[in-house]
Amino acid sequence: MKTVDSLIGDILRREGGFVNHPADRGGPTKHGITQRTLSEWLGRTASVEDVKTLEEDTAREIYERNYYRAPRLDTLPERIRPLVFDCSVNHGPRRAVMFVQNVVNEAGFGPVDVDGTLGPQTRRVTENADAEMGPFLVNALVDERKAFYASLIANDPSQAVFERGWMARAEEFRVEVV
């Protein structure tokens, strides 16, 4: 079982250092933390310089509290936690949970409301889906995420610049099924 610290380490590896790509709708980031997220964390408007000087320890704290513990991802089946946590960071916790809800509904384990809330019903049907589907559940979530990326690009072609990286990031979680 991976610890939350090792999961965060994986996310930090994927996110890298300071980035301010002109096509990135999230604006400047460091360790994947956006200027908006840092502003919310600090309780004031964060400057680009605040983002540039963001310490890794602070990023780790933000990730654990806001993107892992608050949405209760630690209550999901262990097999899907790394992927759903990465989705939470990349798309927001609500969207990450919606991915899970969509997949369990499509696989016939629902119905659950696709509301982005990880409540007892979503946890129960996700546990059932994990028990029956095993690694197929992970791969279905990868496919759901890739479809979401494709819809982002279809709705805003300027985002196509990120397609290769996004798809590679999603595929990193695909598991071999024997």
Side-chain angles (χ1 to χ4, degrees), residues 22-157:
D24 188 343
R25 296 183 302 186
T29 65
K30 185 169 181 191
H31 306 303
I33 301 296
T34 65
Q35 188 174 9
R36 178 178 166 203
T37 297
L38 185 57
S39 294
E40 291 169 3
W41 182 260
L42 295 173
R44 63 172 174 79
T45 301
S47 67
V48 173
E49 189 61 29
D50 289 329
V51 176
K52 281 183 182 177
T53 60
L54 175 66
E55 296 290 331
E56 184 179 305
D57 287 347
T58 303
R60 284 179 170 278
E61 193 174 341
I62 292 168
Y63 281 141
E64 182 169 355
R65 187 176 298 163
N66 293 2
Y67 295 89
Y68 189 76
R69 301 264 182 230
R72 302 173 55 195
L73 300 186
D74 56 325
T75 66
L76 285 171
E78 184 179 330
R79 180 188 334 259
I80 66 170
R81 269 185 232 154
L83 170 55
V84 179
F85 184 30
D86 192 69
C87 290
S88 180
V89 166
N90 200 221
H91 310 290
R94 185 171 179 271
R95 173 64 60 192
V97 173
M98 290 170 75
F99 288 163
V100 173
Q101 292 167 329
N102 281 330
V103 167
V104 297
N105 280 338
E106 289 171 12
F109 291 92
V112 294
D113 291 336
V114 181
D115 60 5
T117 301
L118 187 52
Q121 183 182 15
T122 297
R123 280 195 306 280
R124 184 181 68 252
V125 300
T126 304
E127 288 167 5
N128 293 341
D130 180 60
E132 284 193 42
M133 295 176 69
F136 291 101
L137 178 59
V138 175
N139 292 342
L141 286 164
V142 168
D143 292 340
E144 180 77 11
R145 185 181 199 181
K146 289 177 73 174
F148 180 75
Y149 283 135
S151 72
L152 289 178
I153 294 165
N155 290 328
D156 183 354

